[in-house]
Every structure is written in structure tokens, then in C-alpha cells.
């Protein structure tokens, strides 16, 4: 073999190895849900409309932490969320104001710990954590879903929202299927 053939073989093997590394990196990126802020999801939704799944949590919530450590890391959940929703992680007690639709939502220091006005509005004032809220791309609420979810229940719930089943049946009827 002459020198040019060695160089060609070396470059071919090197580029194959580089491609494999990039593929492995892109697979690694999909091992977790791509959480966004409220603002990021709203901006992304303007250019590519998608349904939005909001995880309302607090720092002190044990069931929120358990859902993060179990349900939200399951590969089937990660895959389904990343393909079908903009996923928003929203601390219901965050102090930062949020401007949406020409209205500024603030933190309200009332009560024991306080609450963010946007969380209060999304939950119709029925505060409990964790709670998932699903929205259409036009920001209409599909459903409020309080409580810890195991993988099988969350998959079913996400399909109910994503497949537009909520337009023809209630969540209670859908669960019986």
C-alpha cells in the first residue's frame, strides 16, 4: 500500500469515529426532558406551535422531588415529552415577575410561603404540588392534573392531552379504556 492509501484509510476511520461520537452525544442529550422556562416555551411556541406541559412544583415538595428522580427520568417519558410538548418547570413560589399577554404576574407573599400569581392562575387557586397543567398551542387549558404520577399513568395522561382525546371524552371516561 502506498502512502496516499494509508492517509485515505486513516481519514476514513477518523471521520467514522468522529461521527459515532457525535451520534453518541446526541443520544445522551435525549436522556432528560428538555425543560424550559415559561418565557422560553412561549417564544418557542410562537415559531413552532406545540402543546405545553407545565410542572408546577416547590423546593420543599417531597413528591415533586420524587417525580423528578423517578417518573421524569424514565426513557419513555423523556421521549414522549420531548417529541410532543414544550415542557415547563415552574416553581410556584418563585420571586421573579413574569410578563405575559401584557400582564405582569408577581410573587404574592401572602400566607405561609406565598405563591406566584401565574401559578395561582394556572391552578385556579387550588394549590397543591406537584401539579401538571396542559395547555394547547393557543394557551387554552386542557387539564389540571394534581399529584405524583408513576410512568404508566403519566403516559396515559399525556396521550389524552396530546391526541386531543379531551375534545371528545372526559378524563374519567378515558382512564377506563
Amino acid at each position: 500500500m502506498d502512502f496516499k492509501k494509508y492517509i485515505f484509510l486513516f481519514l476514513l476511520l477518523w471521520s467514522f469515529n468522529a461521527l459515532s461520537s457525535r451520534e453518541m452525544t446526541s443520544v445522551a442529550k435525549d436522556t432528560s426532558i428538555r425543560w424550559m422556562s415559561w418565557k422560553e416555551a412561549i417564544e418557542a411556541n410562537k415559531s413552532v406551535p406545540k402543546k405545553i406541559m407545565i410542572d408546577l412544583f416547590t423546593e420543599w415538595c417531597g413528591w415533586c422531588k420524587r417525580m423528578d428522580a423517578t417518573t421524569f427520568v424514565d426513557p419513555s417519558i423523556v421521549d414522549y415529552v420531548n417529541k410532543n410538548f414544550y415542557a415547563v418547570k415552574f416553581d410556584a413560589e418563585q420571586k421573579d415577575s413574569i410578563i405575559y399577554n401584557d400582564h405582569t404576574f408577581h410573587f404574592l407573599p401572602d400566607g405561609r410561603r406565598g405563591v406566584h400569581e401565574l401559578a395561582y392562575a394556572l391552578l385556579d387557586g387550588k394549590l397543591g404540588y406537584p401539579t401538571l397543567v396542559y395547555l394547547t398551542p393557543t394557551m387554552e387549558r386542557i387539564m389540571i392534573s394534581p399529584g405524583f404520577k408513576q410512568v404508566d399513568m403519566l403516559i396515559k395522561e399525556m396521550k389524552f392531552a396530546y391526541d386531543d382525546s379531551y375534545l371528545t371524552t372526559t378524563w374519567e371516561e378515558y382512564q377506563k379504556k
Side-chain angles (χ1 to χ4, degrees), residues 69-81:
T70 58
T71 309
F72 286 144
V73 296
D74 182 273
S76 62
I77 297 292
V78 170
D79 184 55
Y80 199 84
V81 171

Side-chain angles (χ1 to χ4, degrees), residues 17 25 43 50 66 83 99 104 119 125-126 134 144 156:
N17 186 37
T25 302
E43 287 303 311
K50 251 183 175 182
R66 182 165 178 193
K83 283 182 182 174
I99 300 170
T104 303
K126 297 174 184 149
Y134 298 90
I144 298 171
K156 191 169 196 171

Side-chain angles (χ1 to χ4, degrees), residues 25 29 31-32 43-44 46 48 52 60 66 72 82 93 98 100 111 115 129 138 142 147-148 150-151 164 167-168 172:
T25 302
K29 287 181 185 172
T31 60
S32 63
E43 287 303 311
K46 287 178 184 176
V48 179
I52 299 173
W60 50 264
R66 182 165 178 193
F72 286 144
N82 287 343
E93 296 175 349
I98 293 176
Y100 175 67
V115 66
Y129 312 106
T138 57
I142 296 168
F148 173 84
Q150 294 194 14
V151 172
D164 293 336
L167 295 172
T168 58
E172 291 73 23

Side-chain angles (χ1 to χ4, degrees), residues 12-63:
L12 182 66
L13 289 173
W14 179 81
S15 58
F16 176 75
N17 186 37
L19 179 61
S20 296
S21 296
R22 266 183 291 199
E23 287 172 357
M24 288 168 62
T25 302
S26 71
V27 168
K29 287 181 185 172
D30 288 331
T31 60
S32 63
I33 294 174
R34 290 184 295 259
W35 294 107
M36 305 172 117
S37 69
W38 174 264
K39 185 177 180 179
E40 290 168 335
I42 298 305
E43 287 303 311
N45 192 46
K46 287 178 184 176
S47 57
V48 179
K50 251 183 175 182
K51 290 184 177 150
I52 299 173
M53 181 187 80
I54 305 164
D55 174 30
L56 288 134
F57 73 97
T58 62
E59 292 297 323
W60 50 264
C61 171
W63 287 108

Side-chain angles (χ1 to χ4, degrees), residues 37-38 90-99 104-108 115-119:
S37 69
W38 174 264
F90 194 92
D91 183 348
E93 296 175 349
Q94 74 177 19
K95 307 286 191 275
D96 297 335
S97 295
I98 293 176
I99 300 170
T104 303
F105 294 87
H106 301 282
F107 173 75
L108 302 172
V115 66
H116 198 280
E117 284 179 313
L118 184 55

Side-chain angles (χ1 to χ4, degrees), residues 100-175:
Y100 175 67
N101 273 356
D102 298 323
H103 178 76
T104 303
F105 294 87
H106 301 282
F107 173 75
L108 302 172
D110 296 335
R112 203 167 153 196
R113 290 191 169 92
V115 66
H116 198 280
E117 284 179 313
L118 184 55
Y120 190 87
L122 288 167
L123 298 177
D124 286 340
K126 297 174 184 149
L127 306 176
Y129 312 106
T131 297
L132 298 175
V133 176
Y134 298 90
L135 302 175
T136 67
T138 57
M139 305 306 287
E140 297 171 66
R141 190 171 48 214
I142 296 168
M143 69 187 284
I144 298 171
S145 177
F148 173 84
K149 307 285 182 309
Q150 294 194 14
V151 172
D152 56 341
M153 180 56 86
L154 184 54
I155 287 286
K156 191 169 196 171
E157 183 176 291
M158 289 188 302
K159 286 181 179 181
F160 175 76
Y162 180 75
D163 294 339
D164 293 336
S165 296
Y166 65 93
L167 295 172
T168 58
T169 188
T170 66
W171 171 239
E172 291 73 23
E173 291 169 353
Y174 185 84
Q175 284 179 297

